[in-house]
Every structure is written in structure tokens, then in C-alpha cells.
Amino acid sequence: MSAKARIQYLRDVLNHHNYLYYVLDSPQISDIDFDQLMLELVTLENNNPSYNDPLSPTKRVGGSVISTFQSVKHKYPMLSLDNTYTETDLNKFDQKIKKLLNKNILNYSCELKYDGVAVSVVYQNGKLFQAITRGDGVFGDDVTENIKTIKSIPLKLFGDYPDLLEIRGEIFIAKKEFENINFNRLKKKEKLTKTYNSQIDLIENLDEKNKIQKKYFAEIKKLEPYSNPRNFASGSLKLLDSSKVARRNLDCIFYAIYSNKLPFNNHAKNLKKAKDWGFQIPKKLIVVDDIKHVLNFIHETESSRDKLPFEIDGIVIKVNNLNDQKILGNTAKSPRWAISFKFKAYQSYTVLEDVKYQIGRTGSITPVACFQPVSVAGSIIKRASLHNESFIKKLDLKIGDRVLIEKGGDVIPKVVAVDKSQRNLLFQSVQFITHCPSCKSKLVKPINEANHYCLNINHCLPQKINQVEHFIARDAMNISSLGTKTIKLLFENSIIDGISDLYQLKIDSFSNLRGFGIESNSFKKAENIINAIEKSKSQTFEKVLFGIGIRYVGKTVAKKLVHSFGSIDNLLSASKARLLEVDEIGEKIADSLILLILNLLNLSNNKLKIFFTKHKVIILRVFLITIDFLQNLLSKYNEDHVKCQVLLTFIVDLISSK
Ligand code: IVH
């Protein structure tokens, strides 16, 4: 047999055994035999580089290191699912679907809802072509090299697959694998601590002692246990070195197929067919013709959930017939033909030790409960948001309280109850702060709003830092080389005072900053930041609008505003009535946009705020504060303006500061 033929044979055999092991769970050769065949293939490939194939099973070990992921547009938007938590809501879903389809009987496919991170994989002529993360549902990151290292994802398909196929699935890690990884980290940490303790007391030189201590703490930090399997999976996809991903033993199941040439008009049958092509599909998948059977399946699965070797957070129920799916269609966020039934969250008790306050980029104050670390559904939890003052009052929280923590399906921990029987008289009630913990300004709570705000938007450091962080984020201006530490340093050294100052930065601006100095790679660091800032000038107006951080103006609203107004000039001169005409723009957003104008007034006393879009340079105007102007602004509110306490406080603040 020629080398070429032997290489091809070995690749096919190894792909086949990989499928038997990882997808069908029924290996037919021993690990040793498999490794031997792999070694033979590696040797043959090394000796015959002209037969190189990026999809060879030898490439599963990874090796490519990249500096950033390419953004790719999804061919079909990557939607999410609506959630239900109760039988009543599930029955409502069933009735709504039947009414829309004008049918009395329907088949539903019921599947495990794996708890990991979504990925979309494209196959061309049976070969893995590209793997993309969800991203914002429209654009995702190209993570092909990382995905190729996951052994349950086929590199080449078997049988009668369609030429062009897009398949979506969930990347996850098995519970056991996750525990092993954390266990090994713990062991390493213990070993490191032991060595450190035995060395540190013997060192007398203080500088040397400090150096070793610093190194020890830095290394220990890297060995903290991963918080939960889901974050571990999504963090893994973002690793830039694919060989690291290969070592993480990730897994993947597939749950949705897109192609013009699907074999059946039936979702479950297509999925089962996909298993023949090489894909792993949900371990439990049944088709039923009555919502009562769906409920039975949910109950059965929920009670045996702990026995599964991987985490699930619910059951997905899908209308099985593809024609029916087409008729039902999608909303902006999710298909109408599917729903997820989320399982009850796990709960644990712990002790409330403190309440700290976070200042958001819009000045909103969020109280955060800090408690003794507790394990809930596999994660170690130390903090949870308390949302606002009324949430604290409703719980009647006291420091020292025994509190019940729940981790919902969405991973965000919540404080759900207080065990008052465990209190003693010394426990102090949590008193909501009256002044900003950073700049000490008096906090304001607008009528009809739950949150307190620090209105010192332009002089309160955490707000300014958060504004810049939001502005440079990937979804906004994407200035990724600028990290939180550097932003803080730039503010602390008065090199920047806000977003627009980023555009005045030069390489020299960094030279006196800690960690920058004269070393050559520090110069490179500064150069990368400047280049990224330069590049951001070509971001679209939509991203700029989202990035400048107007309260309530998220990505979708920014898109709508750009669509309706086209330019910042048109937007800023729009009346409130005109703003309200735009789809999805309600009172809150309209008020917030008007607040923005005031904010700009205050910001821009002497400075021009310059932002760049693809098409033109936008100068956020310097307005002169005149009584006329304020009256004009207030008239946009008509009789409503009295209600908007934040706006009025702002105006009073502005006038008194003049
Ligand atoms: S179907 C358009 N089926 O859950 C329909 N999703 O919370 C797409 N998931 O975005 C979803 N197991 O990442 C579907 N058997 C399953 C699933 C599943 C896990 C994930 C998926 C989805 C998320 C929604």
C-alpha cells in the first residue's frame, strides 16, 4: 500500500473509531490500539508533508495560536429560546400553538436542554468548514480551530449528508471531567503553597522575600477553581491557543440542523439521521402527541437529573413538523415553535457578612450582598446583587443573617429568603447608603424608579471608568487592547477624563504609566492601544451610539435610532413626540435621550466631543446653556416634565454650578 493510501486508510479508521467511542459510546478497539494507529499516522504525515490535511484526526491536538477571533455573519440568525417554569405556562404554549396552526393534535419533540455554550458549525461537502459562536445572534466569532479539537465533533461526515449543512449545538463539559480539572488545580495549589511556606521563612532579604511573595500570589490566583461547568465551556471557546482547548476534554451535542436538502420534514427524524452522519445528539429525545406526555417527560427527567453525567437546566419542547415550524416562524429573539421548560434552581444557606455598593456607568447604585462562600449547584458563590433599597427592605436583611441563595438556570445567584429564626439582638439592619461611596455626592432616587443614582456623572471616577469600559467593549468600539487596569491608570494620572480623550492619546501618553516604561514590549503595548483606537474611528454610528452609554439605549435601540434618524444632528434635534414615534422607543428611552443632551452640555463646556463613524466625523456639539434652550428642552416634556425628577435635579445642578 502506498504512503498516500495508508494515510487515507488510517484517517478513515481513526475517524470511525473516534465516532464509535465519542458519539455511539461503544468502542471497538482498546485505547492502546487507537494510540498506536494515531502514532503511525502522525509519523507518516511527518514524513509526507505534501499529504497534509487540516482535517486529519492528528490535528485534534490543536496548535494554532491566534491574536483575535474573526467576526462572521451567521447565515441564519442564531436565536434563543423563550423560557417557562410552570405547567400552566406550558399548557398556554400548547394552546397558543394549536390555535395558530388551527390543529387539535400536534407532535412535540422533547429534548434535554444541555447547559453549556451554543455553537454553529458549517459543513461543506461533508467537511468541517467553519464554527461560529452565537455572538449577538447576527455576528459571531470564528472558533473553528478550537472546535476542531473537540472529539465528539466530526471533522468529516459519513453517509448521505447534504452538500451544505449548518448544524447547531451546545459545547459542554461532563461533570466528572470538570471535577477532575478543579481537583487537579486544588492539588497544584496545595503543592505550591507547601513549597512557598517551606521557602519563605528561610529568606532574610526583604526585597527577595517580596519578590517571591508576589510571584506566589500571582501563581495561586491562576489556580483558583473554575466556578461552574457552563462558564468553563464558554471560557474555553474564547482561548486563543487551540492546544489549550484540546486539553480541556470538552464535549458537544447537536440539536438543530439547517440545509436546503434535509431528508425529512420532521425535526426528530432529521436529528436521528444526523447521528448517522457523525453527530452526537441529545441523550434523551422523544416525540409525543400530547402536552401531558411532555409533562411526564419533564417530571421523569427532573427527578433523575442528578444522575446524568452532564449538567442540564431544563427540557426543550419543539413542534416536530418542519412545515408547522415554518408557519409559526420566529419573533425577533426566539422561534414561536419551541420553548424551554427550566428546572427549579438549586438553593443553599450561607451567612451575610457585608453589603457593598457598586456604581454603574450611568450612576445607578447596586447593593451587593457579600457572604461566606457557598457551593450552589456546583459553583462557589460569594456575592449576589440585592438590586435596590426596596429589595433589601422586603427581605428585612440584617448583617449576620442566615440567607438562602438560589442559583437560577441563568447562573445569576439570588438571595431568596432570610432565616429569621437564627437571628440575635446584636444583628444590625442593612441601611441603604445616602451618599455615593466614591465621590460622596448625595444620592437621588427618582420617583417611579427603584434605583438610587449618583448624579455626579462627570466627576465620579467609577462612573467615568465604567463609561470608558463600556465604550471600548467589543459590542461597541472594540478597542480590546485597552484593559481595565490601564483605563484606571489613565484616569488616576489625569491623562484622560472621559471617552473623547481617548482620541487625544499618543504613544508618549503612556510612557510614565506603571507597566509601560521604556521596555520594548511596553512600547508595543501602547502602540497596539493607539492602533485600536485609530481603527475604532471607522466603527458605525450604531456602535458609537451604543458605546457612548445612554441609559436604556442598548444595541437594538441604537439600531432603531440610527435607522430612524440617520445622524446625531437629527437625533439631538428630535422632539420627544418624534422620538416616541420610533418602534420600541417609549417614555423612558425618550427621557434618557433628552438627559443625554443635558449631559453633553455639562461635559462640553470647553471641549468638543469628537466621534468618528464610517461615513463622517460627528461632532457632538458644544451647546451654550441658555434659559431659552432649557425652556425649549423642557417643553419637549409638556405636562410630563414634573414627573422627571432626575432631569430637574440635573438642571438645578447645572444652573447652580454656573
Ligand atoms: S434549540 C432556534 N435544543 O439553550 C432553537 N437549544 O436557552 C435553538 N440548548 O440557545 C435552540 N440544549 O444554546 C435547543 N436540545 C436543545 C438545547 C438547546 C441546549 C441551548 C441553546 C439555546 C439555549 C436557549
Side-chain angles (χ1 to χ4, degrees):
M1 199 187 269
S2 69
K4 188 179 175 189
R6 181 72 185 162
I7 286 176
Q8 197 46 57
Y9 169 78
L10 286 170
R11 283 176 184 163
D12 290 346
V13 167
L14 285 165
N15 277 337
H16 174 66
H17 286 297
N18 189 72
Y19 172 65
L20 291 173
Y21 186 92
Y22 288 100
V23 178
L24 298 188
D25 225 352
S26 60
Q28 284 177 7
I29 57 170
S30 68
D31 289 358
I32 297 178
D33 289 344
F34 186 91
D35 291 346
Q36 218 152 37
L37 292 172
M38 186 64 91
L39 191 67
E40 186 188 347
L41 180 58
V42 170
T43 317
L44 275 172
E45 285 182 353
N46 284 343
N47 294 339
N48 298 277
S50 58
Y51 303 138
N52 178 41
D53 177 356
L55 293 182
S56 166
T58 55
K59 300 290 192 293
R60 294 262 194 208
V61 291
S64 74
V65 182
I66 51 171
S67 57
T68 177
F69 295 106
Q70 292 301 317
S71 182
V72 180
K73 190 166 183 187
H74 289 290
K75 188 166 171 198
Y76 312 92
M78 221 167 154
L79 303 175
S80 190
L81 289 173
D82 271 349
N83 294 325
T84 62
Y85 295 87
T86 63
E87 295 192 9
T88 323
D89 283 351
L90 194 61
N91 281 321
K92 277 190 196 154
F93 167 78
D94 177 48
Q95 279 150 22
K96 193 179 95 190
I97 296 283
K98 284 179 175 156
K99 200 170 159 200
L100 286 170
L101 290 173
N102 200 13
K103 284 187 175 176
N104 292 327
I105 295 191
L106 268 182
N107 277 352
Y108 289 116
S109 161
C110 309
E111 301 160 18
L112 298 182
K113 185 173 182 312
Y114 285 67
D115 197 8
V117 57
V119 71
S120 190
V121 192
V122 180
Y123 287 81
Q124 288 179 353
N125 298 317
K127 291 180 182 168
L128 192 154
F129 169 69
Q130 194 169 49
I132 316 168
T133 60
R134 177 198 301 283
D136 63 4
V138 181
F139 285 91
D141 284 341
D142 181 337
V143 287
T144 314
E145 291 309 316
N146 286 349
I147 288 302
K148 273 163 57 180
T149 68
I150 300 174
K151 299 199 182 85
S152 49
I153 299 184
L155 300 171
K156 289 186 180 165
L157 304 183
F158 312 113
D160 52 348
Y161 47 79
D163 308 340
L164 192 61
L165 170 75
E166 183 154 346
I167 188 157
R168 291 189 176 160
E170 197 82 352
I171 311 277
F172 65 97
I173 180 159
K175 287 177 190 166
K176 210 124 220 100
E177 292 289 346
F178 182 72
E179 278 163 20
N180 281 345
I181 287 172
N182 269 349
F183 180 77
N184 288 339
R185 299 196 117 201
L186 195 73
K187 282 269 151 258
K188 270 194 199 158
K189 201 169 154 180
E190 280 171 6
K191 203 171 151 199
L192 198 73
T193 307
K194 226 170 154 182
T195 321
Y196 168 78
N197 283 338
S198 65
Q199 279 177 358
I200 197 78
D201 287 339
L202 305 176
I203 298 166
E204 281 177 7
N205 179 307
L206 216 59
D207 279 349
E208 185 71 3
K209 218 173 176 140
N210 277 340
K211 223 165 104 186
I212 291 191
Q213 208 167 37
K214 229 172 155 181
K215 197 170 154 216
Y216 166 72
F217 283 122
E219 281 177 29
I220 278 288
K221 221 172 158 189
K222 284 191 228 148
L223 292 171
E224 281 292 312
Y226 293 109
S227 62
N228 63 61
R230 182 211 239 184
N231 288 357
F232 177 82
S234 68
S236 303
L237 281 200
K238 290 178 198 133
L239 291 172
L240 297 166
D241 177 351
S242 61
S243 64
K244 283 191 182 155
V245 186
R247 289 196 289 273
R248 289 192 163 198
N249 293 340
L250 298 169
D251 207 337
C252 183
I253 63 102
F254 290 92
Y255 52 68
I257 318 174
Y258 301 80
S259 167
N260 291 337
K261 291 187 192 154
L262 285 175
F264 305 104
N265 225 342
N266 174 313
H267 164 74
K269 276 191 182 171
N270 284 333
L271 266 193
K272 285 180 186 155
K273 190 76 195 159
K275 193 169 175 181
D276 298 340
W277 298 334
F279 297 105
Q280 182 169 220
I281 62 170
K283 287 277 179 259
K284 277 187 174 190
L285 187 160
I286 59 162
V287 178
V288 296
D289 60 2
D290 191 327
I291 201 76
K292 277 193 198 121
H293 298 135
V294 174
L295 282 166
N296 288 342
F297 180 72
I298 289 174
H299 294 144
E300 260 171 48
T301 313
E302 186 162 21
S303 60
S304 57
R305 174 184 182 187
D306 287 346
K307 295 196 189 85
L308 288 171
F310 42 81
E311 297 278 0
I312 57 167
D313 57 344
I315 296 294
V316 184
I317 300 111
K318 301 172 183 170
V319 170
N320 198 34
N321 183 297
L322 297 193
N323 283 341
D324 288 345
Q325 287 190 3
K326 219 177 261 167
I327 296 171
L328 291 164
N330 307 319
T331 66
K333 285 191 187 143
S334 48
R336 283 193 198 86
W337 44 264
I339 199 153
S340 84
F341 186 97
K342 288 282 198 89
F343 291 150
K344 221 169 139 260
Y346 290 114
Q347 299 182 326
S348 281
Y349 275 103
T350 184
V351 173
L352 178 72
E353 290 182 328
D354 195 6
V355 173
K356 295 212 162 103
Y357 295 84
Q358 281 177 350
I359 309 157
R361 67 183 159 82
T362 57
S364 66
I365 304 290
T366 309
V368 179
C370 306
F371 28 74
Q372 279 175 8
V374 60
S375 168
V376 189
S379 330
I380 308 288
I381 297 177
K382 298 178 198 157
R383 293 152 80 87
S385 169
L386 293 170
H387 309 291
N388 51 51
E389 186 181 23
S390 92
F391 186 84
I392 294 175
K393 281 196 175 143
K394 232 185 252 163
L395 284 173
D396 178 26
L397 267 188
K398 294 183 187 226
I399 302 294
D401 266 341
R402 188 165 174 260
V403 286
L404 184 63
I405 311 300
E406 177 176 297
K407 204 185 83 170
D410 48 9
V411 183
I412 297 169
K414 302 176 195 129
V415 179
V416 285
V418 178
D419 179 1
K420 292 186 182 162
S421 70
Q422 302 288 311
R423 273 186 179 161
N424 76 41
L425 288 172
L426 297 174
F427 285 12
Q428 299 279 322
S429 281
V430 175
Q431 292 298 332
F432 204 89
I433 48 169
T434 52
H435 289 76
C436 173
S438 175
C439 71
K440 314 291 176 224
S441 308
K442 196 166 167 19
L443 301 181
V444 168
K445 184 178 169 298
I447 302 166
N448 297 337
E449 277 218 39
N451 282 351
H452 283 71
Y453 289 90
C454 164
L455 297 181
N456 192 12
I457 295 182
N458 305 315
H459 306 289
C460 178
L461 189 60
Q463 288 187 57
K464 293 198 287 186
I465 292 175
N466 287 334
Q467 284 157 17
V468 172
E469 284 211 65
H470 175 76
F471 183 75
I472 64 162
R474 252 173 88 199
D475 293 348
M477 304 302 272
N478 193 16
I479 309 176
S480 54
S481 40
L482 188 56
T484 308
K485 251 195 199 159
T486 313
I487 297 174
K488 279 191 184 150
L489 283 175
L490 288 168
F491 271 106
E492 279 162 14
N493 288 278
S494 308
I495 298 172
I496 63 169
D497 188 42
I499 292 168
S500 65
D501 296 335
L502 294 178
Y503 293 93
Q504 315 289 341
L505 288 175
K506 305 205 169 36
I507 290 183
D508 288 353
S509 320
F510 296 87
S511 50
N512 291 328
L513 290 191
R514 209 180 329 131
F516 281 84
I518 44 169
E519 315 98 80
S520 60
N521 70 334
S522 301
F523 177 83
K524 187 97 203 105
K525 230 160 81 181
E527 195 181 46
N528 284 344
I529 295 172
I530 298 294
N531 287 345
I533 293 173
E534 202 52 36
K535 208 169 146 202
S536 78
K537 291 179 182 175
S538 58
Q539 288 290 10
T540 56
F541 178 29
E542 193 180 307
K543 298 231 169 178
V544 181
L545 199 56
F546 171 62
I548 55 178
I550 309 162
R551 200 186 296 170
Y552 313 121
V553 179
K555 278 178 270 181
T556 316
V557 173
K559 199 175 271 177
K560 300 241 144 107
L561 288 170
V562 171
H563 186 74
S564 299
F565 295 100
S567 76
I568 190 91
D569 290 345
N570 293 344
L571 179 62
L572 294 188
S573 54
S575 66
K576 185 173 176 188
R578 174 72 188 91
L579 287 170
L580 288 172
E581 276 169 21
V582 180
D583 181 28
E584 278 191 40
I585 308 288
E587 293 279 327
K588 250 168 116 176
I589 300 176
D591 287 346
S592 178
L593 282 162
I594 290 167
L595 251 183
L596 163 81
I597 304 173
L598 280 170
N599 186 17
L600 290 177
L601 286 173
N602 197 25
L603 263 176
S604 318
N605 286 342
N606 298 311
K607 279 188 219 160
L608 283 183
K609 305 275 125 184
I610 303 176
F611 298 105
F612 300 82
T613 75
K614 224 174 210 158
H615 313 293
K616 68 171 200 164
V617 176
I618 294 172
I619 299 176
L620 299 184
R621 290 171 187 286
V622 182
F623 288 90
L624 285 174
I625 304 175
T626 64
I627 295 297
D628 264 7
F629 181 76
L630 284 176
Q631 272 171 355
N632 184 18
L633 205 63
L634 279 173
S635 70
K636 290 182 182 180
Y637 277 89
N638 300 326
E639 72 280 6
D640 284 353
H641 74 268
V642 206
K643 289 185 201 157
C644 188
Q645 201 183 326
V646 175
L647 179 64
L648 289 176
T649 321
F650 228 100
I651 294 172
V652 172
D653 237 35
L654 274 174
I655 295 173
S656 57
S657 72
K658 279 265 108 187

